[in-house]
Amino acid sequence: MTVTGKVVDERGAPIAGALIRTRVEFSEFREAVSGADGVYHLHGCDPPGMFGFVASAKGRATEVQERWIGPEAEPVDFRLKPGGVVRIRVIDAQGNPCLGARVHVFPEKFSPLFAFDSLNPDLDRAGR
């Protein structure tokens, strides 16, 4: 099955080059990139069932959706808001950096391992 949809910004303008991903098996992923018109075609989404989709684009907040995919399924559209910066510092009870700690971020309702894979989970010497 092929999932289609459109990726737009907060004003409804198409976003070209957005990456849309899903997991079809435990370690098997499908991905597509939106064209100049914001439209994408994500092939190989079989068998029918619930799928989690992650859309990301440079300068935009990542969006996650969980949808049923099968015959006559609706398009999976995304409206990506402007992105921001999240700064995290991991310290111990004395305020010292926790060297060797790792930070992992997952969406609230849906936590595929690839959802935020552009983040570097390793902390620097200051614990950031």
Side-chain angles (χ1 to χ4, degrees), residues 82-103:
V85 175
V86 175
R87 295 188 195 327
I88 298 172
R89 184 166 188 229
V90 181
I91 57 174
D92 63 18
Q94 290 75 40
N96 299 313
C98 292
L99 299 179
R102 300 188 93 190
V103 175

mmCIF file of all heavy atoms in Angstrom, residues 82-103:
data_model
loop_
_atom_site.group_PDB
_atom_site.id
_atom_site.type_symbol
_atom_site.label_atom_id
_atom_site.label_comp_id
_atom_site.label_asym_id
_atom_site.label_seq_id
_atom_site.Cartn_x
_atom_site.Cartn_y
_atom_site.Cartn_z
ATOM 1 N N PRO A 82 6.499 26.280 13.183
ATOM 2 C CA PRO A 82 7.906 26.671 13.286
ATOM 3 C C PRO A 82 8.574 25.922 14.443
ATOM 4 O O PRO A 82 7.945 25.677 15.475
ATOM 5 C CB PRO A 82 7.850 28.174 13.575
ATOM 6 C CG PRO A 82 6.514 28.607 13.055
ATOM 7 C CD PRO A 82 5.603 27.429 13.259
ATOM 8 N N GLY A 83 9.820 25.560 14.234
ATOM 9 C CA GLY A 83 10.559 24.834 15.259
ATOM 10 C C GLY A 83 11.144 25.772 16.295
ATOM 11 O O GLY A 83 11.135 26.987 16.141
ATOM 12 N N GLY A 84 11.650 25.183 17.327
ATOM 13 C CA GLY A 84 12.285 25.938 18.396
ATOM 14 C C GLY A 84 13.515 25.196 18.869
ATOM 15 O O GLY A 84 13.936 24.218 18.257
ATOM 16 N N VAL A 85 14.061 25.640 19.953
ATOM 17 C CA VAL A 85 15.257 25.021 20.516
ATOM 18 C C VAL A 85 14.929 24.530 21.914
ATOM 19 O O VAL A 85 14.308 25.245 22.705
ATOM 20 C CB VAL A 85 16.421 26.041 20.575
ATOM 21 C CG1 VAL A 85 17.628 25.437 21.277
ATOM 22 C CG2 VAL A 85 16.784 26.500 19.170
ATOM 23 N N VAL A 86 15.345 23.311 22.208
ATOM 24 C CA VAL A 86 15.219 22.761 23.555
ATOM 25 C C VAL A 86 16.633 22.553 24.065
ATOM 26 O O VAL A 86 17.444 21.890 23.418
ATOM 27 C CB VAL A 86 14.454 21.416 23.551
ATOM 28 C CG1 VAL A 86 14.441 20.803 24.940
ATOM 29 C CG2 VAL A 86 13.051 21.613 23.015
ATOM 30 N N ARG A 87 16.927 23.125 25.200
ATOM 31 C CA ARG A 87 18.236 22.952 25.810
ATOM 32 C C ARG A 87 18.061 22.142 27.085
ATOM 33 O O ARG A 87 17.212 22.469 27.924
ATOM 34 C CB ARG A 87 18.869 24.294 26.126
ATOM 35 C CG ARG A 87 19.194 25.126 24.906
ATOM 36 C CD ARG A 87 19.988 26.344 25.301
ATOM 37 N NE ARG A 87 20.167 27.440 24.427
ATOM 38 C CZ ARG A 87 20.274 27.489 23.119
ATOM 39 N NH1 ARG A 87 20.167 26.435 22.448
ATOM 40 N NH2 ARG A 87 20.468 28.592 22.453
ATOM 41 N N ILE A 88 18.868 21.104 27.227
ATOM 42 C CA ILE A 88 18.793 20.225 28.390
ATOM 43 C C ILE A 88 20.181 20.124 29.008
ATOM 44 O O ILE A 88 21.168 19.962 28.293
ATOM 45 C CB ILE A 88 18.303 18.820 27.979
ATOM 46 C CG1 ILE A 88 16.898 18.912 27.387
ATOM 47 C CG2 ILE A 88 18.330 17.866 29.169
ATOM 48 C CD1 ILE A 88 16.412 17.628 26.772
ATOM 49 N N ARG A 89 20.231 20.214 30.321
ATOM 50 C CA ARG A 89 21.489 20.006 31.032
ATOM 51 C C ARG A 89 21.222 18.999 32.135
ATOM 52 O O ARG A 89 20.286 19.166 32.926
ATOM 53 C CB ARG A 89 22.017 21.308 31.627
ATOM 54 C CG ARG A 89 23.372 21.123 32.292
ATOM 55 C CD ARG A 89 24.046 22.449 32.572
ATOM 56 N NE ARG A 89 25.401 22.204 33.034
ATOM 57 C CZ ARG A 89 25.922 22.758 34.109
ATOM 58 N NH1 ARG A 89 25.215 23.624 34.812
ATOM 59 N NH2 ARG A 89 27.145 22.471 34.475
ATOM 60 N N VAL A 90 22.035 17.951 32.185
ATOM 61 C CA VAL A 90 21.875 16.896 33.176
ATOM 62 C C VAL A 90 22.962 17.072 34.234
ATOM 63 O O VAL A 90 24.147 17.045 33.920
ATOM 64 C CB VAL A 90 21.978 15.500 32.531
ATOM 65 C CG1 VAL A 90 21.791 14.411 33.570
ATOM 66 C CG2 VAL A 90 20.946 15.363 31.409
ATOM 67 N N ILE A 91 22.501 17.265 35.470
ATOM 68 C CA ILE A 91 23.444 17.458 36.582
ATOM 69 C C ILE A 91 23.075 16.534 37.741
ATOM 70 O O ILE A 91 21.945 16.066 37.834
ATOM 71 C CB ILE A 91 23.464 18.926 37.063
ATOM 72 C CG1 ILE A 91 22.054 19.385 37.479
ATOM 73 C CG2 ILE A 91 24.037 19.841 35.986
ATOM 74 C CD1 ILE A 91 21.988 20.761 38.091
ATOM 75 N N ASP A 92 24.025 16.319 38.624
ATOM 76 C CA ASP A 92 23.759 15.508 39.815
ATOM 77 C C ASP A 92 23.241 16.413 40.938
ATOM 78 O O ASP A 92 23.043 17.622 40.745
ATOM 79 C CB ASP A 92 24.995 14.705 40.233
ATOM 80 C CG ASP A 92 26.173 15.576 40.636
ATOM 81 O OD1 ASP A 92 25.984 16.779 40.936
ATOM 82 O OD2 ASP A 92 27.308 15.044 40.649
ATOM 83 N N ALA A 93 23.034 15.839 42.110
ATOM 84 C CA ALA A 93 22.478 16.587 43.250
ATOM 85 C C ALA A 93 23.369 17.749 43.680
ATOM 86 O O ALA A 93 22.882 18.719 44.267
ATOM 87 C CB ALA A 93 22.244 15.642 44.428
ATOM 88 N N GLN A 94 24.660 17.690 43.381
ATOM 89 C CA GLN A 94 25.581 18.767 43.742
ATOM 90 C C GLN A 94 25.730 19.810 42.632
ATOM 91 O O GLN A 94 26.493 20.751 42.758
ATOM 92 C CB GLN A 94 26.964 18.184 44.084
ATOM 93 C CG GLN A 94 27.005 17.402 45.392
ATOM 94 C CD GLN A 94 26.351 16.031 45.260
ATOM 95 O OE1 GLN A 94 26.513 15.350 44.258
ATOM 96 N NE2 GLN A 94 25.594 15.647 46.270
ATOM 97 N N GLY A 95 25.032 19.619 41.516
ATOM 98 C CA GLY A 95 25.106 20.559 40.408
ATOM 99 C C GLY A 95 26.222 20.282 39.418
ATOM 100 O O GLY A 95 26.506 21.090 38.542
ATOM 101 N N ASN A 96 26.864 19.113 39.529
ATOM 102 C CA ASN A 96 27.934 18.746 38.611
ATOM 103 C C ASN A 96 27.377 18.032 37.389
ATOM 104 O O ASN A 96 26.412 17.280 37.500
ATOM 105 C CB ASN A 96 28.934 17.814 39.325
ATOM 106 C CG ASN A 96 29.559 18.487 40.520
ATOM 107 O OD1 ASN A 96 30.010 19.619 40.436
ATOM 108 N ND2 ASN A 96 29.551 17.789 41.646
ATOM 109 N N PRO A 97 27.995 18.229 36.210
ATOM 110 C CA PRO A 97 27.540 17.530 35.006
ATOM 111 C C PRO A 97 27.619 16.017 35.184
ATOM 112 O O PRO A 97 28.530 15.508 35.830
ATOM 113 C CB PRO A 97 28.525 17.986 33.920
ATOM 114 C CG PRO A 97 29.192 19.185 34.475
ATOM 115 C CD PRO A 97 29.142 19.087 35.964
ATOM 116 N N CYS A 98 26.641 15.312 34.640
ATOM 117 C CA CYS A 98 26.616 13.842 34.703
ATOM 118 C C CYS A 98 27.279 13.314 33.432
ATOM 119 O O CYS A 98 26.600 13.071 32.418
ATOM 120 C CB CYS A 98 25.193 13.329 34.818
ATOM 121 S SG CYS A 98 24.417 13.735 36.374
ATOM 122 N N LEU A 99 28.588 13.167 33.471
ATOM 123 C CA LEU A 99 29.320 12.680 32.309
ATOM 124 C C LEU A 99 28.893 11.252 32.008
ATOM 125 O O LEU A 99 28.692 10.443 32.907
ATOM 126 C CB LEU A 99 30.818 12.745 32.565
ATOM 127 C CG LEU A 99 31.371 14.147 32.827
ATOM 128 C CD1 LEU A 99 32.864 14.084 33.102
ATOM 129 C CD2 LEU A 99 31.089 15.057 31.661
ATOM 130 N N GLY A 100 28.727 10.940 30.752
ATOM 131 C CA GLY A 100 28.332 9.604 30.330
ATOM 132 C C GLY A 100 26.832 9.403 30.270
ATOM 133 O O GLY A 100 26.364 8.376 29.790
ATOM 134 N N ALA A 101 26.050 10.381 30.746
ATOM 135 C CA ALA A 101 24.590 10.261 30.672
ATOM 136 C C ALA A 101 24.138 10.449 29.227
ATOM 137 O O ALA A 101 24.836 11.076 28.428
ATOM 138 C CB ALA A 101 23.936 11.301 31.568
ATOM 139 N N ARG A 102 22.992 9.894 28.899
ATOM 140 C CA ARG A 102 22.406 10.073 27.564
ATOM 141 C C ARG A 102 20.972 10.536 27.736
ATOM 142 O O ARG A 102 20.301 10.139 28.687
ATOM 143 C CB ARG A 102 22.440 8.771 26.776
ATOM 144 C CG ARG A 102 23.859 8.248 26.590
ATOM 145 C CD ARG A 102 23.856 7.091 25.658
ATOM 146 N NE ARG A 102 24.107 7.672 24.341
ATOM 147 C CZ ARG A 102 23.999 7.011 23.209
ATOM 148 N NH1 ARG A 102 23.638 5.773 23.210
ATOM 149 N NH2 ARG A 102 24.256 7.592 22.070
ATOM 150 N N VAL A 103 20.500 11.334 26.805
ATOM 151 C CA VAL A 103 19.140 11.846 26.837
ATOM 152 C C VAL A 103 18.400 11.307 25.624
ATOM 153 O O VAL A 103 18.903 11.377 24.503
ATOM 154 C CB VAL A 103 19.130 13.396 26.813
ATOM 155 C CG1 VAL A 103 17.710 13.923 26.715
ATOM 156 C CG2 VAL A 103 19.835 13.938 28.039
#
